[in-house]
Amino acid sequence: MHRSDQAALPAPPDLLTGVPDAVCRLDADWRFTWVNTALAMLLQRPPERLVGRPVRDCFPDVLGSALQRHVHAVLADGRPRAFEYLYEPHDRWFEVRASADAHGGVVVFLRDVDSRHRAQAAQARELRQTAAVLDALPSPTVLLDEDGRIRTANRVWSGNADLVRRSGWEPAQVGDDYLARVAQGLARDDAVRIADGLHQLRTEPSGGPPRTFAHDYAHDLAGQTTWWRLQAARVEDTGQLVVIHTDITERALVEQRLAWQATHDDLTGLPNRVRLLELIGEALADEDTRTALLFLDLDGFKTVNDSLGHAVGDELLRQVGARLTTQIRPGDAVGRLGGDQFVVLARSCDTPEAASLAFRLQRSFGRPFTAGGLSVPVSASVGVAVAQPGLRHAHQLLSDADAAGYAAKAAGRDRVHLFSPGLRDAARWRMDVATRLRDGALDQFVVHYQPVVRLDTGAIEGVEALLRWQHPERGLLAPDAFLSVAEETGQLIPITRWLLRETTRQAAEWATKGLSLRMAVNISARHFSAETLVRDVRTALRESGLAPEQLMLELTETTVAEDPTRAEDQLAVLQGFGVRVAIDDFGTGWSSLAQLMALPIGTLKIDRSLITAAERLATSGTGAVLGAIVELAHSLGIRSVAEGVETAEHLRMVREAGCDLAQGYLLARPMASGDVTRWADRVRAGGGDSCALALAGELR
């Protein structure tokens, strides 16, 4: 230790000589009275050049600095000071402590804290940068330190503090234990999963692929349930975690609504087929009880729908579902399969109880329903199936109840029928059909053709292609025997694709022989939803060489109603390169005139049921209904075809109504391709008027 020769001043302690901190004493005039070795080395001056000399002479750069201000303050009021000071000649930071002594001087300690200061400054800059990044995120976000405490949070997180307080919770702020705060109002399972997930993130070995943790949870805020997705990621080599909280309430509500819609009927709110099968499976899993299923099919609902309108029909279905719900026992369930079919699941129910319940439900239909301001009488055919011991398959019990319901319907209206094993034959037939179609039955299909003739001249204009299945055991089958199964099993589109190729090939072959006939082919709604119709038609026309104008696609009103937008788009493309479009079986389904007008329709095929109804009305003198339909079609630029013309009276009536074309057994039955040319030759030989020849009995 070096000091001045002023004997009056106390000598500095010897222990200051070896301390690493720089120490000196300044008198009231700011002269060095003693310095230790560390200070001399710091100032790079020999001690003898410092002791006794004023600071301003040795180091003028401290004049006016923070160091001078703080030391003067100590000399002035005698209170110690501690502060950090940048010594600019060395560009280093020091921690300075200054204390007054009893002799009017001040003792100054200087500790080199440059490394710590710069590290803290860098850390502060990094934290500010991190905070800026977090503030840019739209979701509440926090940065957790190694101990799981909140190191920083973005503005959105802080902005939610008032909402958290209104919910009765303590807001999580910087320095708080994150898990302790977040667990407020959280389900225990969610809190445990979040804690485990963050722990695994923090403790997983470094160097591997980056891992994240995500968890969705519900949280009560201000009296409302909100849904959040927590996503956390580790900041490598720091042990810190970034945790983002994304509000997914809207998406969660949509998902809940979609989940409900996936298991419930939109119209009635009752469980749908999917949910019913789940409920049936749960009931069958209880081996100690019997489960019964009641299959209800409304009688005559189609007539109600057609005559009173779709809105009245929908209201009627809602009321049926509500009435059934009031009639069942506690613990039972009502569901809607679709259309006019309902199912009642009866738990702990043996056969006599199930039959009694079925008759009670049937009697409940004795009271008419009120829909659209009208009193609508409705009855139901009920099939009953009770699960036998060991039956655990929901589909089987539903199939049995369906078979019993079909038997009740076939026996007449307003009946109850109990399932018997013999009813499974129909189901086995459908399974056989599905298997054969899947294994490739296309080579067993044949096409019959029914001529379509002009009513003004009797000339043959075209044919309608009618698919048949030459079944190896059951003989020639009509489409009703297998097309519904083909649709259910996804085979309908391949079959239609084959039919397009076969019929266009046949029409092209006839054309080469001088018989130019327009080919009409039926198309299902499934082809629209698959969106392959345009491609399949183009392929068939290209391979056959048939002119597009010679192909007409027929679709029913129901087909249009299932997906009108897709139907309109695809049919417009087909019409663009010449293919014709017809509405088949007009009058058998519900139609929207605006919907039909939006489609590129050139032909309206009037179903035979309307022909029969028109004949009945004409007999009673109630007016020309058929003529009104034809006139409406003509006003839209649409030609009309009368189907099911089977008698001379039918022919006279459709002619008087102004129909353009006709087909039916009076004119020609469906026939094989070879018979078409022979039939056309007979018409040609008879003068070319097929209508006149049919009335004369010369075409039979």
Side-chain angles (χ1 to χ4, degrees):
M1 177 67 66
H2 303 274
R3 59 183 183 273
S4 67
D5 294 332
Q6 300 178 33
L9 294 177
D14 291 339
L15 59 86
L16 293 178
T17 302
V19 298
D21 294 336
V23 186
C24 68
R25 180 185 181 277
L26 304 175
D27 62 16
D29 297 324
W30 264 62
R31 290 180 300 177
F32 290 107
T33 61
W34 48 261
V35 298
N36 72 345
T37 305
L39 181 68
M41 293 179 62
L42 171 66
L43 300 180
Q44 298 178 354
R45 301 280 184 92
E48 57 272 15
R49 292 184 58 187
L50 295 173
V51 175
R53 299 186 63 188
V55 173
R56 63 177 177 273
D57 293 342
C58 299
F59 304 102
D61 52 288
V62 303
L63 298 178
S65 68
L67 177 64
Q68 184 185 38
R69 290 195 302 274
H70 285 298
V71 173
H72 272 307
V74 172
L75 289 171
D77 59 22
R79 289 186 299 168
R81 299 287 195 279
F83 56 93
E84 290 189 349
Y85 169 66
L86 176 63
Y87 183 46
E88 294 184 354
H90 290 179
D91 191 27
R92 296 190 70 81
W93 283 90
F94 291 88
E95 179 184 342
V96 181
R97 295 180 181 275
S99 303
D101 61 14
H103 302 283
V106 59
V107 178
V108 181
F109 285 77
L110 294 95
R111 174 170 294 175
D112 190 332
V113 293
D114 190 74
S115 297
R116 188 194 71 189
H117 182 92
R118 295 186 186 279
Q120 289 177 341
Q123 193 175 46
R125 286 194 302 272
E126 180 183 347
L127 192 59
R128 287 194 298 272
Q129 292 173 351
T130 301
V133 172
L134 297 186
D135 279 340
L137 298 177
S139 299
T141 305
V142 294
L143 177 67
L144 307 184
D145 64 16
E146 300 87 337
D147 298 323
R149 294 189 174 276
I150 299 175
R151 188 176 180 192
T152 186
N154 70 352
R155 291 191 183 94
V156 184
W157 176 274
S158 302
N160 285 342
D162 289 342
L163 180 62
V164 174
R165 288 192 187 92
R166 290 200 304 271
S167 305
W169 316 120
E170 187 66 27
Q173 299 175 341
V174 173
D176 289 342
D177 185 304
Y178 169 78
L179 289 175
R181 287 285 186 259
V182 170
Q184 300 174 115
L186 211 60
R188 176 174 174 78
D189 289 346
D190 289 323
V192 170
R193 289 194 62 183
I194 291 172
D196 290 345
L198 298 185
H199 176 73
Q200 290 179 12
L201 270 184
R202 188 175 286 112
T203 58
E204 70 178 355
S206 300
R211 237 185 100 249
T212 60
F213 167 71
H215 178 63
D216 294 349
Y217 63 93
H219 202 186
D220 291 332
L221 286 176
Q224 293 185 341
T225 299
T226 56
W227 283 88
W228 299 85
R229 163 156 287 189
L230 181 150
Q231 294 172 289
R234 188 172 74 176
V235 181
E236 288 299 329
D237 301 326
T238 66
Q240 299 173 351
L241 300 179
V242 176
V243 186
I244 302 175
H245 309 75
T246 305
D247 188 342
I248 59 170
T249 301
E250 183 175 350
R251 190 183 73 188
L253 293 176
V254 170
E255 289 176 353
Q256 288 178 350
R257 185 165 60 252
L258 291 176
W260 188 90
Q261 291 174 346
T263 56
H264 289 77
D265 174 49
D266 286 340
L267 182 63
T268 63
L270 297 173
N272 62 10
R273 182 184 182 89
V274 172
R275 182 56 181 156
L276 279 170
L277 288 172
E278 292 177 352
L279 294 173
I280 297 168
E282 294 168 2
L284 292 176
D286 187 354
E287 299 180 359
D288 298 329
T289 62
R290 298 285 293 276
T291 300
L293 211 59
L294 283 66
F295 189 100
L296 293 90
D297 194 339
L298 303 186
D299 299 321
F301 176 74
K302 183 179 182 300
T303 302
V304 174
N305 223 12
D306 291 346
S307 60
L308 301 181
H310 201 58
V312 173
D314 286 350
E315 177 59 27
L316 178 61
L317 291 174
R318 282 190 287 267
Q319 291 191 28
V320 168
R323 184 174 296 184
L324 291 175
T325 302
T326 64
Q327 297 296 316
I328 60 175
R329 309 170 308 164
D332 294 346
V334 178
R336 180 183 176 221
L337 289 179
D340 57 359
Q341 296 177 339
F342 294 81
V343 168
V344 173
L345 169 64
R347 299 178 174 87
S348 301
C349 187
D350 58 19
T351 300
E353 290 175 316
S356 176
L357 176 59
F359 284 113
R360 184 166 79 247
L361 296 177
Q362 184 190 38
R363 287 194 301 272
S364 73
F365 283 82
R367 291 181 287 113
F369 295 86
T370 301
L374 301 173
S375 179
V376 184
V378 176
S379 62
S381 299
V382 187
V384 181
V386 179
Q388 299 304 305
L391 178 62
R392 293 292 176 264
H393 299 291
H395 283 280
Q396 183 61 64
L397 185 59
L398 181 58
S399 176
D400 291 348
D402 187 0
Y406 182 83
K409 198 82 167 179
R413 300 164 62 92
D414 200 16
R415 301 293 182 92
V416 173
H417 198 98
L418 297 177
F419 172 79
S420 63
L423 295 177
R424 290 196 176 120
D425 288 344
R428 291 194 184 97
W429 159 245
R430 293 175 69 84
M431 180 63 70
D432 177 66
V433 169
T435 302
R436 289 177 182 269
L437 290 176
R438 186 179 62 249
D439 292 343
L442 287 179
D443 56 349
Q444 298 171 0
F445 287 128
V446 295
V447 185
H448 286 184
Y449 303 90
Q450 186 174 34
V452 178
V453 303
R454 293 172 58 101
L455 285 174
D456 55 352
T457 65
I460 178 172
E461 179 166 298
V463 293
E464 179 182 0
L466 302 170
L467 184 65
R468 301 288 185 264
W469 184 3
Q470 190 64 55
H471 195 278
E473 287 90 25
R474 301 207 177 196
L476 194 65
L477 300 178
D480 291 345
F482 59 89
L483 280 188
S484 61
V485 181
E487 185 169 7
E488 292 172 4
T489 58
Q491 297 298 313
L492 187 57
I493 291 178
I495 291 174
T496 306
R497 193 174 290 135
W498 174 87
L499 183 62
L500 283 168
R501 291 199 302 268
E502 175 62 22
T503 53
T504 53
R505 181 201 61 78
Q506 182 62 68
E509 180 181 318
W510 283 332
T512 61
K513 297 177 181 179
L515 184 60
S516 180
L517 301 176
R518 178 173 294 122
M519 180 65 68
V521 180
N522 289 282
I523 299 298
S524 77
R526 286 294 179 92
H527 227 120
F528 290 122
S529 60
E531 297 188 345
T532 64
L533 179 61
V534 173
R535 183 185 63 198
D536 293 339
V537 169
R538 285 180 183 271
T539 300
L541 291 174
R542 183 179 66 252
E543 292 178 353
S544 66
L546 183 69
E549 295 77 12
Q550 292 301 102
L551 176 63
M552 183 163 67
L553 302 181
E554 295 188 358
L555 51 148
T556 64
E557 297 172 80
T558 305
T559 298
V560 175
E562 285 191 24
D563 199 340
T565 301
R566 284 182 174 172
E568 180 181 351
D569 292 344
Q570 295 174 60
L571 292 176
V573 173
L574 291 169
Q575 186 198 43
F577 60 85
V579 175
R580 310 292 180 91
V581 179
I583 291 294
D584 194 15
D585 299 336
F586 179 78
T588 61
W590 63 272
S591 300
S592 164
L593 184 58
Q595 198 173 81
L596 293 180
M597 288 178 65
L599 296 173
I601 297 169
T603 303
L604 193 69
K605 301 193 73 172
I606 302 172
D607 187 72
R608 69 180 63 194
S609 62
L610 277 183
I611 305 295
T612 304
E615 183 180 26
R616 227 175 21 249
L617 291 172
T619 302
S620 62
T622 55
V625 175
L626 187 60
I629 296 174
V630 173
E631 183 178 354
L632 173 63
H634 285 166
S635 69
L636 298 174
I638 298 174
R639 295 205 306 169
S640 58
V641 180
E643 296 182 293
V645 176
E646 299 178 353
T647 66
E649 177 59 23
H650 286 170
L651 183 60
R652 181 197 62 77
M653 186 171 57
V654 298
R655 273 179 161 169
E656 289 182 358
C659 290
D660 302 290
L661 305 163
Q663 66 183 94
Y665 283 8
L666 175 67
L667 302 166
R669 292 175 176 270
M671 61 190 75
S673 58
D675 293 333
V676 172
T677 54
R678 287 189 285 272
W679 183 88
D681 289 342
R682 289 172 59 191
V683 171
R684 189 180 300 111
D689 188 344
S690 60
C691 296
L693 294 172
L695 290 174
E698 297 180 15
L699 290 180
R700 296 177 183 174

